[in-house]
Every structure is written in structure tokens, then in C-alpha cells.
Coordinates of all heavy atoms in Angstrom, one line a residue:
M1 N 175.2 -5.9 69.1 CA 176.3 -5.7 68.2 C 176.1 -4.4 67.4 O 177.0 -3.6 67.2 CB 176.5 -6.8 67.2 CG 177.9 -6.9 66.6 SD 179.1 -7.0 67.9 CE 180.6 -6.4 67.0
K2 N 174.8 -4.2 67.0 CA 174.5 -3.0 66.2 C 174.9 -1.7 67.0 O 175.4 -0.8 66.4 CB 173.1 -3.0 65.8 CG 172.7 -1.9 64.9 CD 171.3 -2.1 64.4 CE 170.9 -1.1 63.2 NZ 170.9 0.3 63.6
S3 N 174.5 -1.7 68.3 CA 174.8 -0.5 69.1 C 176.2 -0.2 69.2 O 176.7 0.9 69.3 CB 174.1 -0.6 70.4 OG 174.6 -1.6 71.2
T4 N 177.1 -1.3 69.3 CA 178.5 -1.1 69.4 C 179.0 -0.4 68.2 O 179.8 0.5 68.2 CB 179.2 -2.5 69.6 OG1 178.6 -3.1 70.7 CG2 180.7 -2.2 70.0
T5 N 178.5 -0.9 67.0 CA 179.0 -0.4 65.8 C 178.6 1.1 65.7 O 179.4 2.0 65.3 CB 178.3 -1.2 64.6 OG1 178.5 -2.5 64.8 CG2 178.9 -0.8 63.3
T6 N 177.3 1.4 66.1 CA 176.9 2.8 66.1 C 177.7 3.7 67.0 O 178.1 4.8 66.6 CB 175.4 2.8 66.5 OG1 174.7 1.9 65.8 CG2 174.8 4.2 66.3
L7 N 178.0 3.1 68.1 CA 178.8 3.9 69.1 C 180.2 4.2 68.5 O 180.7 5.3 68.5 CB 179.0 3.1 70.4 CG 179.8 3.8 71.5 CD1 179.0 5.1 71.9 CD2 180.0 2.9 72.7
L8 N 180.8 3.2 67.9 CA 182.2 3.4 67.3 C 182.1 4.4 66.2 O 183.0 5.2 66.0 CB 182.7 2.0 66.8 CG 183.3 1.1 67.8 CD1 183.7 -0.3 67.2 CD2 184.4 1.7 68.6
A9 N 181.0 4.3 65.4 CA 180.9 5.2 64.3 C 180.8 6.6 64.7 O 181.4 7.5 64.2 CB 179.7 4.8 63.4
S10 N 180.0 6.8 65.8 CA 179.9 8.2 66.3 C 181.2 8.7 67.0 O 181.5 9.9 66.9 CB 178.7 8.4 67.2 OG 178.6 7.4 68.2
I11 N 181.9 7.8 67.6 CA 183.2 8.3 68.2 C 184.1 8.7 67.1 O 184.8 9.7 67.1 CB 183.8 7.1 69.1 CG1 183.0 7.0 70.3 CG2 185.3 7.5 69.4 CD1 183.4 5.7 71.1
L12 N 184.2 7.9 66.0 CA 185.0 8.2 64.9 C 184.6 9.5 64.2 O 185.5 10.3 63.9 CB 184.9 7.0 63.9 CG 186.0 7.0 62.7 CD1 187.4 6.9 63.3 CD2 185.7 5.9 61.7
A13 N 183.3 9.7 64.1 CA 182.8 10.9 63.4 C 183.2 12.1 64.3 O 183.6 13.1 63.8 CB 181.3 10.8 63.3
F14 N 183.2 11.9 65.6 CA 183.5 13.0 66.5 C 185.0 13.4 66.4 O 185.4 14.5 66.3 CB 183.2 12.7 67.9 CG 183.5 13.8 68.9 CD1 182.7 14.9 69.0 CD2 184.6 13.7 69.7 CE1 183.0 15.9 69.9 CE2 184.9 14.7 70.6 CZ 184.1 15.8 70.7
A15 N 185.9 12.3 66.3 CA 187.3 12.5 66.2 C 187.7 13.2 64.9 O 188.5 14.1 64.9 CB 188.0 11.1 66.4
V16 N 187.1 12.8 63.9 CA 187.4 13.3 62.5 C 186.7 14.7 62.4 O 187.2 15.6 61.7 CB 186.9 12.4 61.4 CG1 187.1 13.0 60.1 CG2 187.7 11.1 61.5
G17 N 185.6 14.9 63.1 CA 184.8 16.1 63.0 C 185.5 17.4 63.1 O 185.1 18.3 62.5
A18 N 186.6 17.4 63.9 CA 187.3 18.6 64.1 C 187.7 19.3 62.8 O 187.8 20.5 62.6 CB 188.6 18.4 64.9
A19 N 188.0 18.5 61.8 CA 188.5 19.0 60.5 C 187.5 19.0 59.4 O 187.8 19.4 58.3 CB 189.8 18.2 60.0
V20 N 186.2 18.6 59.7 CA 185.2 18.5 58.7 C 184.4 19.8 58.5 O 184.1 20.4 59.5 CB 184.3 17.3 59.0 CG1 183.1 17.3 58.0 CG2 185.0 16.0 58.8
G21 N 184.2 20.2 57.3 CA 183.5 21.4 57.0 C 184.2 22.0 55.8 O 185.3 21.7 55.4
D22 N 183.4 22.9 55.1 CA 184.0 23.6 53.9 C 184.9 24.7 54.3 O 184.7 25.4 55.3 CB 182.8 24.1 53.1 CG 182.0 22.9 52.5 OD1 182.6 21.9 52.3 OD2 180.9 23.2 52.2
N23 N 185.9 25.0 53.4 CA 186.7 26.1 53.6 C 186.0 27.3 52.9 O 185.2 27.2 52.1 CB 188.0 25.9 52.9 CG 189.0 25.1 53.7 OD1 188.8 24.9 54.9 ND2 190.1 24.7 53.1
C24 N 186.4 28.5 53.4 CA 185.9 29.7 52.7 C 186.6 29.9 51.3 O 187.6 29.2 51.0 CB 186.3 31.0 53.6 SG 188.1 31.1 53.9
N25 N 186.0 30.7 50.5 CA 186.5 30.9 49.2 C 187.2 32.3 49.0 O 186.6 33.3 49.4 CB 185.4 30.8 48.1 CG 184.7 29.4 48.1 OD1 185.4 28.4 48.0 ND2 183.4 29.4 48.3
V26 N 188.4 32.3 48.5 CA 189.1 33.5 48.3 C 188.6 34.2 47.1 O 188.3 33.5 46.1 CB 190.6 33.2 48.1 CG1 191.5 34.5 47.9 CG2 191.2 32.4 49.3
P27 N 188.4 35.5 47.0 CA 188.7 36.5 48.0 C 187.5 37.0 48.7 O 187.4 38.2 49.0 CB 189.3 37.6 47.2 CG 188.4 37.6 45.9 CD 188.0 36.2 45.8
L28 N 186.5 36.1 49.0 CA 185.2 36.6 49.5 C 185.3 37.0 51.0 O 186.2 36.6 51.7 CB 184.2 35.5 49.3 CG 183.8 35.2 47.9 CD1 182.7 34.1 47.9 CD2 183.3 36.5 47.2
I29 N 184.3 37.8 51.4 CA 184.2 38.3 52.7 C 183.0 37.7 53.3 O 181.9 37.6 52.7 CB 184.1 39.9 52.7 CG1 185.4 40.5 52.2 CG2 183.7 40.4 54.1 CD1 185.3 41.9 51.9
Y30 N 183.1 37.2 54.6 CA 182.0 36.5 55.2 C 181.7 37.0 56.6 O 182.5 37.4 57.3 CB 182.5 35.0 55.5 CG 182.8 34.2 54.2 CD1 184.0 34.2 53.6 CD2 181.8 33.4 53.7 CE1 184.3 33.5 52.5 CE2 182.0 32.6 52.6 CZ 183.3 32.7 51.9 OH 183.5 31.9 50.8
C31 N 180.4 36.9 56.9 CA 179.9 37.1 58.3 C 180.3 35.9 59.1 O 180.4 34.8 58.5 CB 178.4 37.2 58.4 SG 177.6 38.6 57.5
G32 N 180.6 36.1 60.4 CA 180.9 34.9 61.2 C 179.8 33.8 61.1 O 180.2 32.7 61.0
H33 N 178.6 34.2 61.0 CA 177.5 33.2 61.0 C 177.5 32.4 59.7 O 177.2 31.2 59.6 CB 176.1 33.7 61.3 CG 175.6 34.8 60.4 ND1 175.1 34.6 59.2 CD2 175.5 36.2 60.6 CE1 174.7 35.7 58.6 NE2 174.9 36.7 59.5
S34 N 178.0 33.0 58.6 CA 178.1 32.3 57.3 C 179.2 31.3 57.4 O 179.1 30.2 56.9 CB 178.5 33.3 56.1 OG 177.5 34.3 56.0
L35 N 180.3 31.7 58.1 CA 181.5 30.8 58.2 C 181.1 29.6 59.1 O 181.4 28.4 58.8 CB 182.7 31.5 58.8 CG 183.4 32.5 57.9 CD1 184.4 33.2 58.7 CD2 184.0 31.7 56.7
I36 N 180.4 29.9 60.2 CA 179.9 28.9 61.2 C 179.1 27.8 60.5 O 179.2 26.6 60.7 CB 179.2 29.5 62.4 CG1 180.2 30.3 63.2 CG2 178.6 28.4 63.3 CD1 179.6 31.2 64.2
A37 N 178.2 28.3 59.5 CA 177.3 27.4 58.8 C 178.1 26.4 57.9 O 177.6 25.4 57.5 CB 176.4 28.3 57.9
K38 N 179.4 26.7 57.6 CA 180.2 25.8 56.8 C 180.6 24.6 57.7 O 181.1 23.6 57.1 CB 181.4 26.5 56.3 CG 181.1 27.5 55.2 CD 182.4 28.2 54.7 CE 182.1 29.1 53.6 NZ 181.5 28.5 52.4
G39 N 180.5 24.7 59.0 CA 180.6 23.5 59.8 C 181.9 23.4 60.7 O 181.9 22.6 61.6
K40 N 182.9 24.2 60.5 CA 184.1 24.0 61.3 C 184.8 25.2 61.7 O 185.9 25.2 62.3 CB 185.1 23.2 60.4 CG 185.5 24.0 59.2 CD 186.9 23.7 58.6 CE 187.4 24.8 57.7 NZ 188.7 24.5 57.1
Y41 N 184.1 26.4 61.5 CA 184.8 27.6 61.7 C 184.8 28.2 63.1 O 185.5 29.2 63.4 CB 184.3 28.7 60.7 CG 185.2 28.7 59.5 CD1 184.8 28.0 58.3 CD2 186.4 29.3 59.5 CE1 185.6 28.0 57.2 CE2 187.2 29.3 58.3 CZ 186.8 28.6 57.2 OH 187.6 28.6 56.1
Q42 N 184.0 27.7 64.0 CA 183.9 28.4 65.3 C 185.2 28.5 66.0 O 185.6 29.6 66.5 CB 182.8 27.7 66.2 CG 182.5 28.4 67.5 CD 181.8 29.7 67.2 OE1 180.6 29.7 66.8 NE2 182.4 30.9 67.5
P43 N 186.0 27.4 66.1 CA 187.4 27.6 66.7 C 188.3 28.6 66.0 O 189.0 29.3 66.7 CB 188.0 26.2 66.7 CG 186.8 25.2 66.4 CD 185.8 26.0 65.7
Q44 N 188.2 28.6 64.7 CA 189.1 29.6 64.0 C 188.6 31.0 64.2 O 189.4 31.9 64.3 CB 189.0 29.3 62.5 CG 190.2 28.4 62.0 CD 190.0 27.9 60.6 OE1 189.3 27.0 60.3 NE2 190.6 28.6 59.6
I45 N 187.3 31.2 64.3 CA 186.7 32.5 64.6 C 187.1 33.0 66.0 O 187.6 34.1 66.2 CB 185.2 32.5 64.5 CG1 184.8 32.4 63.0 CG2 184.5 33.7 65.2 CD1 183.3 32.2 62.8
D46 N 187.0 32.1 67.0 CA 187.4 32.4 68.4 C 188.9 32.8 68.4 O 189.2 33.8 69.0 CB 187.2 31.2 69.3 CG 185.7 30.9 69.4 OD1 184.8 31.7 69.1 OD2 185.4 29.8 69.9
Q47 N 189.7 32.0 67.7 CA 191.2 32.3 67.7 C 191.5 33.6 67.0 O 192.2 34.4 67.5 CB 191.9 31.2 67.0 CG 193.4 31.3 66.9 CD 194.0 31.1 68.3 OE1 193.7 30.1 69.0 NE2 194.9 32.0 68.7
C48 N 190.8 33.9 65.9 CA 191.0 35.1 65.2 C 190.6 36.3 66.0 O 191.3 37.3 66.0 CB 190.2 35.0 63.9 SG 190.5 36.4 62.8
L49 N 189.5 36.2 66.7 CA 189.0 37.4 67.5 C 190.0 37.6 68.7 O 190.3 38.7 69.0 CB 187.6 37.1 68.1 CG 186.5 37.1 67.0 CD1 185.2 36.7 67.7 CD2 186.4 38.4 66.3
F50 N 190.4 36.5 69.3 CA 191.4 36.6 70.4 C 192.7 37.2 69.9 O 193.2 38.1 70.5 CB 191.7 35.2 70.9 CG 192.7 35.1 72.0 CD1 192.4 35.5 73.3 CD2 194.1 34.8 71.7 CE1 193.3 35.4 74.3 CE2 195.0 34.8 72.7 CZ 194.6 35.1 74.0
D51 N 193.2 36.8 68.7 CA 194.4 37.4 68.2 C 194.3 38.8 67.9 O 195.3 39.6 67.9 CB 194.8 36.6 66.9 CG 195.3 35.2 67.1 OD1 195.5 34.9 68.3 OD2 195.3 34.5 66.1
N52 N 193.1 39.3 67.6 CA 192.9 40.7 67.3 C 192.4 41.5 68.5 O 191.9 42.6 68.4 CB 191.9 40.8 66.2 CG 192.5 40.5 64.8 OD1 193.2 41.3 64.2 ND2 192.4 39.3 64.4
N53 N 192.4 40.9 69.7 CA 192.0 41.5 70.9 C 190.6 42.0 70.9 O 190.2 43.0 71.4 CB 192.9 42.8 71.2 CG 193.9 42.5 72.3 OD1 193.6 41.8 73.2 ND2 195.0 43.1 72.1
H54 N 189.8 41.2 70.1 CA 188.4 41.6 70.0 C 187.5 40.7 70.9 O 187.7 39.5 70.9 CB 188.0 41.4 68.5 CG 186.7 42.1 68.2 ND1 186.7 43.5 67.9 CD2 185.4 41.7 68.2 CE1 185.4 43.8 67.6 NE2 184.7 42.8 67.8
P55 N 186.5 41.3 71.6 CA 185.7 40.5 72.5 C 184.9 39.5 71.6 O 184.5 39.7 70.5 CB 184.7 41.5 73.1 CG 184.8 42.8 72.2 CD 186.2 42.7 71.6
T56 N 184.7 38.3 72.2 CA 184.0 37.2 71.5 C 182.5 37.3 71.7 O 181.8 36.3 71.8 CB 184.5 35.8 71.9 OG1 184.5 35.8 73.3 CG2 185.9 35.5 71.4
L57 N 182.0 38.5 71.8 CA 180.6 38.8 71.9 C 179.9 38.1 70.7 O 180.4 38.1 69.6 CB 180.4 40.3 71.7 CG 179.0 40.9 71.8 CD1 178.6 40.9 73.3 CD2 179.1 42.3 71.3
D58 N 178.7 37.4 71.0 CA 178.0 36.9 69.9 C 178.7 35.7 69.2 O 178.3 35.4 68.0 CB 177.7 38.1 68.9 CG 176.6 37.8 67.9 OD1 175.9 36.9 68.1 OD2 176.5 38.6 66.9
N59 N 179.8 35.2 69.8 CA 180.6 34.2 69.1 C 181.1 34.6 67.8 O 181.4 33.7 67.0 CB 179.8 32.8 69.0 CG 179.6 32.1 70.3 OD1 180.5 32.2 71.2 ND2 178.4 31.5 70.5
G60 N 181.2 35.9 67.6 CA 181.8 36.4 66.3 C 180.8 36.3 65.1 O 181.2 36.5 64.0
Q61 N 179.6 36.0 65.4 CA 178.6 35.8 64.3 C 178.4 37.1 63.5 O 178.1 37.0 62.3 CB 177.3 35.4 64.9 CG 177.3 34.0 65.5 CD 176.0 33.4 65.7 OE1 175.3 33.1 64.7 NE2 175.6 33.2 67.0
S62 N 178.5 38.2 64.1 CA 178.3 39.5 63.4 C 179.5 40.2 63.0 O 179.5 41.4 62.8 CB 177.4 40.4 64.3 OG 176.3 39.7 64.7
V63 N 180.6 39.5 62.9 CA 181.9 40.1 62.5 C 182.2 39.7 61.1 O 181.9 38.6 60.7 CB 183.0 39.6 63.4 CG1 184.4 40.0 62.9 CG2 182.8 40.1 64.9
L64 N 182.7 40.6 60.3 CA 183.1 40.3 58.9 C 184.6 39.8 58.9 O 185.4 40.4 59.5 CB 183.0 41.6 58.0 CG 181.7 42.0 57.6 CD1 181.8 43.3 56.8 CD2 181.0 40.9 56.7
F65 N 184.8 38.7 58.2 CA 186.1 38.1 58.0 C 186.4 38.0 56.6 O 185.6 37.7 55.7 CB 186.1 36.7 58.6 CG 185.9 36.6 60.1 CD1 184.6 36.4 60.6 CD2 186.9 36.7 61.0 CE1 184.3 36.4 62.0 CE2 186.7 36.7 62.4 CZ 185.4 36.5 62.9
G66 N 187.7 38.2 56.3 CA 188.2 38.0 54.9 C 188.7 36.6 54.8 O 189.2 36.1 55.8
C67 N 188.6 36.0 53.6 CA 189.1 34.6 53.4 C 190.6 34.7 52.9 O 190.8 35.3 51.8 CB 188.3 33.9 52.5 SG 188.8 32.1 52.3
I68 N 191.5 34.2 53.6 CA 192.9 34.2 53.2 C 193.3 33.0 52.4 O 194.1 33.0 51.5 CB 193.9 34.3 54.4 CG1 193.5 35.5 55.3 CG2 195.3 34.4 54.0 CD1 193.6 36.8 54.7
G69 N 192.6 31.9 52.7 CA 192.8 30.7 51.9 C 193.7 29.7 52.6 O 193.9 29.6 53.8
G70 N 194.4 28.8 51.8 CA 195.2 27.8 52.3 C 194.4 26.5 52.6 O 193.2 26.5 52.5
T71 N 195.1 25.5 53.0 CA 194.5 24.2 53.3 C 193.4 24.3 54.3 O 192.4 23.5 54.2 CB 195.5 23.2 53.8 OG1 196.8 23.5 53.2 CG2 195.1 21.8 53.5
N72 N 193.6 25.1 55.3 CA 192.6 25.2 56.4 C 191.6 26.4 56.2 O 190.8 26.6 57.1 CB 193.3 25.3 57.7 CG 194.1 24.1 58.0 OD1 193.7 23.0 57.9 ND2 195.4 24.3 58.4
G73 N 191.7 27.1 55.1 CA 190.8 28.2 54.9 C 191.0 29.3 56.0 O 190.0 29.6 56.7
V74 N 192.2 29.8 56.1 CA 192.5 30.8 57.1 C 191.7 32.1 56.9 O 191.4 32.5 55.7 CB 194.0 31.1 57.0 CG1 194.4 32.3 57.9 CG2 194.9 29.9 57.4
I75 N 191.3 32.7 58.0 CA 190.5 33.9 57.9 C 191.2 35.0 58.6 O 192.0 34.8 59.4 CB 189.1 33.7 58.6 CG1 189.2 33.0 60.0 CG2 188.2 32.8 57.6 CD1 187.9 33.0 60.7
Q76 N 190.7 36.2 58.3 CA 191.3 37.5 58.8 C 190.2 38.4 59.3 O 189.1 38.5 58.7 CB 192.0 38.2 57.6 CG 192.5 39.5 57.8 CD 192.9 40.2 56.5 OE1 192.3 40.0 55.5 NE2 194.0 40.9 56.6
F77 N 190.4 39.0 60.5 CA 189.4 39.9 61.1 C 189.3 41.1 60.3 O 190.3 41.7 59.9 CB 189.9 40.2 62.5 CG 189.0 41.2 63.2 CD1 187.8 40.8 63.8 CD2 189.3 42.6 63.2 CE1 187.0 41.8 64.5 CE2 188.5 43.5 63.8 CZ 187.3 43.1 64.4
L78 N 188.1 41.5 59.9 CA 188.0 42.8 59.2 C 187.2 43.8 60.0 O 187.7 44.9 60.2 CB 187.2 42.5 57.8 CG 187.9 41.7 56.8 CD1 187.0 41.6 55.5 CD2 189.2 42.4 56.4
Q79 N 186.0 43.5 60.4 CA 185.1 44.5 61.0 C 184.0 43.9 61.8 O 183.5 42.8 61.4 CB 184.5 45.3 59.9 CG 183.7 46.5 60.3 CD 182.9 47.1 59.1 OE1 183.2 46.8 57.9 NE2 181.9 47.9 59.4
D80 N 183.7 44.5 62.9 CA 182.5 44.1 63.7 C 181.3 44.9 63.3 O 181.3 46.1 63.3 CB 182.8 44.2 65.2 CG 181.8 43.5 66.1 OD1 180.7 43.2 65.6 OD2 182.1 43.3 67.2
C81 N 180.3 44.2 62.8 CA 179.1 44.9 62.4 C 178.2 45.3 63.5 O 177.3 46.2 63.4 CB 178.2 44.0 61.4 SG 179.1 43.5 59.9
G82 N 178.3 44.7 64.7 CA 177.4 44.9 65.8 C 176.4 43.7 65.7 O 176.0 43.3 64.6
T83 N 176.0 43.3 66.9 CA 175.1 42.1 67.0 C 173.9 42.1 66.1 O 173.2 43.1 66.1 CB 174.7 41.9 68.5 OG1 175.8 41.8 69.3 CG2 173.8 40.6 68.6
G84 N 173.8 41.1 65.3 CA 172.6 40.9 64.4 C 172.7 41.8 63.1 O 171.7 41.9 62.4
R85 N 173.8 42.5 62.9 CA 173.9 43.4 61.8 C 174.8 43.0 60.6 O 175.3 43.8 59.9 CB 174.2 44.8 62.3 CG 173.3 45.3 63.4 CD 173.4 46.8 63.6 NE 173.0 47.5 62.4 CZ 171.8 47.8 62.0 NH1 170.7 47.4 62.8 NH2 171.5 48.6 61.0
C86 N 175.0 41.7 60.5 CA 175.8 41.2 59.4 C 174.9 40.4 58.5 O 174.2 39.5 58.9 CB 177.0 40.4 60.0 SG 178.3 40.1 58.8
M87 N 175.0 40.7 57.2 CA 174.1 40.0 56.2 C 174.8 39.1 55.3 O 175.8 39.4 54.6 CB 173.4 41.1 55.4 CG 172.3 40.6 54.5 SD 171.1 41.8 54.1 CE 172.2 43.0 53.2
D88 N 174.3 37.9 55.2 CA 174.7 36.9 54.2 C 174.1 37.2 52.9 O 172.9 37.1 52.7 CB 174.3 35.5 54.7 CG 174.8 34.4 53.8 OD1 175.3 34.7 52.7 OD2 174.7 33.2 54.2
N89 N 174.9 37.6 51.9 CA 174.4 38.0 50.6 C 174.3 36.9 49.6 O 174.0 37.1 48.4 CB 175.2 39.2 50.0 CG 175.0 40.4 50.8 OD1 173.9 40.8 51.1 ND2 176.1 41.1 51.2
G90 N 174.6 35.6 50.1 CA 174.4 34.5 49.2 C 175.8 34.0 48.6 O 176.8 34.6 48.8
N91 N 175.7 32.8 48.0 CA 176.9 32.2 47.4 C 177.6 33.1 46.4 O 176.9 33.6 45.5 CB 176.5 30.9 46.7 CG 176.3 29.7 47.7 OD1 176.8 29.8 48.9 ND2 175.7 28.6 47.3
G92 N 178.9 33.1 46.5 CA 179.7 33.9 45.5 C 179.7 35.4 45.7 O 180.2 36.1 44.9
K93 N 179.0 35.8 46.8 CA 178.9 37.3 47.0 C 179.6 37.6 48.3 O 179.6 36.8 49.2 CB 177.4 37.7 47.0 CG 176.7 37.4 45.7 CD 175.7 38.6 45.5 CE 175.1 38.4 44.1 NZ 173.7 37.8 44.2
N94 N 180.1 38.8 48.4 CA 180.6 39.3 49.7 C 179.5 39.6 50.7 O 178.5 40.2 50.3 CB 181.4 40.5 49.5 CG 182.8 40.2 48.9 OD1 183.4 39.2 49.1 ND2 183.3 41.2 48.1
D95 N 179.7 39.1 51.9 CA 178.7 39.5 53.0 C 179.0 40.9 53.4 O 180.1 41.4 53.2 CB 178.8 38.6 54.2 CG 178.4 37.1 53.9 OD1 177.7 37.0 52.8 OD2 178.6 36.2 54.7
T96 N 178.0 41.6 54.0 CA 178.2 43.0 54.3 C 177.5 43.3 55.7 O 176.6 42.6 56.1 CB 177.6 43.9 53.3 OG1 176.3 43.4 52.9 CG2 178.4 44.0 52.0
C97 N 177.9 44.4 56.3 CA 177.2 44.9 57.4 C 175.9 45.6 56.9 O 175.9 46.1 55.8 CB 178.0 45.9 58.2 SG 179.5 45.2 59.0
F98 N 174.9 45.7 57.7 CA 173.7 46.5 57.3 C 173.2 47.3 58.5 O 173.7 47.1 59.6 CB 172.6 45.6 56.8 CG 172.0 44.7 57.8 CD1 170.9 45.1 58.5 CD2 172.5 43.4 58.1 CE1 170.3 44.3 59.5 CE2 172.0 42.6 59.0 CZ 170.8 43.0 59.7
Ligands
NAG101 C1 184.7 40.8 47.5 O1 185.6 41.6 48.2 C2 186.9 41.4 47.7 C3 187.8 42.2 48.7 O2 187.4 43.5 48.8 C4 187.0 41.8 46.3 O3 188.4 41.6 45.8 C5 186.1 40.9 45.5 O4 186.1 41.4 44.1 C6 184.7 41.0 46.0 N1 183.9 40.0 45.3 C7 182.6 40.3 45.0 C8 181.9 39.1 44.3 O5 182.0 41.3 45.2

């Protein structure tokens, strides 16, 4: 019985998982990897890069995004720093290329 409960719980967590994660904070600027660390941003990053005709190199980890806000924490493409060249400057600070 315990395993059935565990299975159901993980299925539920997976189903709900799509929307779980923190939103970005306006008006901060984030590296892709900072957004991904919030837990739900990979699909939004992929969509944003696609919309901007930008290659999804590096899964967008080294791209700077602006936070537009709203219920889903909409993001905007700003700049590609180049692989491994985007720096997380910490909570409440804008991320930057280096
Ligand atoms: C971050 O960048 C935004 C947009 O340029 C600016 O409005 C904001 O003041 C900056 N915030 C910090 C903490 O530097």
C-alpha cells in the first residue's frame, strides 16, 4: 500500500511540477542559469530564444533575460554573453556578462 501511495504522490508532483518554481523579480536581469535554478524556467527560456530566433546553444544558460513579470514571471531576451560568460551576482542584484 505504501508504494502505491508513493507512486501516486510522485505522479501528482510531476503533474503539478510544470508550474512549480519561483518567478523572477521585476526589474532584475538574470542569466539563464539563474532562472533555471528557480525551478521552472527552462521551457520559458527555450520559447523566448525561439521567439527571438536565437540558437538554444547551452540551453540559454549564458543568455541575459529581463524580468517582465506577471503571474508566470514572463521574461525577455536581452543579450547572449557567450557560453560560460554570464555571472550570477546574487539575490536582488542584476546578473551580468563577464
Ligand atoms: C537592474 O537593471 C534594471 C534595468 O536596467 C534597472 O532598472 C535596475 O535598477 C537594476 N537593479 C539593480 C539592483 O542594479
Side-chain angles (χ1 to χ4, degrees):
M1 201 56 203
K2 185 171 192 294
S3 64
T4 309
T5 311
T6 309
L7 182 66
L8 283 176
S10 46
I11 289 171
L12 190 65
F14 181 76
V16 174
V20 170
D22 290 334
N23 278 347
C24 57
N25 296 307
V26 183
L28 292 181
I29 293 169
Y30 294 86
C31 295
H33 61 75
S34 305
L35 288 173
I36 292 165
K38 291 182 176 298
K40 62 156 197 178
Y41 269 100
Q42 190 69 67
Q44 264 170 279
I45 287 172
D46 294 345
Q47 182 70 48
C48 188
L49 293 175
F50 178 81
D51 289 347
N52 285 278
N53 255 327
H54 197 83
T56 48
L57 184 75
D58 196 15
N59 287 324
Q61 297 197 63
S62 306
V63 170
L64 282 177
F65 296 93
C67 186
I68 306 299
T71 328
N72 297 313
V74 173
I75 50 171
Q76 172 189 37
F77 176 85
L78 291 180
Q79 182 190 348
D80 192 340
C81 298
T83 303
R85 303 197 62 83
C86 196
M87 184 158 65
D88 182 349
N89 290 314
N91 278 346
K93 301 216 173 101
N94 283 330
D95 291 348
T96 47
C97 293
F98 67 92

